[in-house]
Amino acid sequence: MRFRDRLARFFYGRYGTDALYYFLFGVYFVLWGALLFIGIPPVRLILSILQNCVFVWMIFRVFSRNTYKRRQENEAFLGFFKTIKNFFILTKNRIRDVKGFRYRKCTHCKAMLRLPKRKGEHPVICPRCKKRFIAKIRF
């Protein structure tokens, strides 16, 4: 019981894990897997150093008491990751809807709109900003 209390006291005020930690954990194991299959010594050395740096960064973030900075780092990572995730979701939707719909950006608010596939120029009202614009669909 005494060890448990000491451990709880040690971790009090520490940052802990977040989304960036789990991403770094995945990167660590991808590098570990790459080290298993790569036999070229200079490349193995570079990957090993990179893997150790990722591990040290993970541990530093978990035990850090500067929670404000760690939260800022995580928010920046989530913002970056969100743009990448949205790109792949939009690409998947474009492939899925290739027969019946076309995707165009609103000229005012830059929202991505899914429009029915009709050739020519068509008036469109953006559901987000309620502005009118002409959408050109060539094929």
Side-chain angles (χ1 to χ4, degrees), residues 25-75:
F25 192 70
V27 169
Y28 177 81
F29 276 102
V30 166
L31 290 172
W32 179 72
L35 279 171
L36 290 175
F37 295 108
I38 295 177
I40 306 168
V43 176
R44 284 184 60 85
L45 178 66
I46 291 170
L47 288 179
S48 179
I49 291 171
L50 190 60
Q51 182 186 25
N52 290 332
C53 290
V54 167
F55 182 74
V56 168
W57 190 19
M58 283 170 39
I59 298 303
F60 168 74
R61 286 183 45 77
V62 168
F63 292 125
S64 174
R65 287 188 182 261
N66 193 349
T67 58
Y68 178 72
K69 285 281 192 179
R70 303 297 83 79
R71 195 175 304 123
Q72 281 183 328
E73 291 170 359
N74 189 47
E75 286 177 11

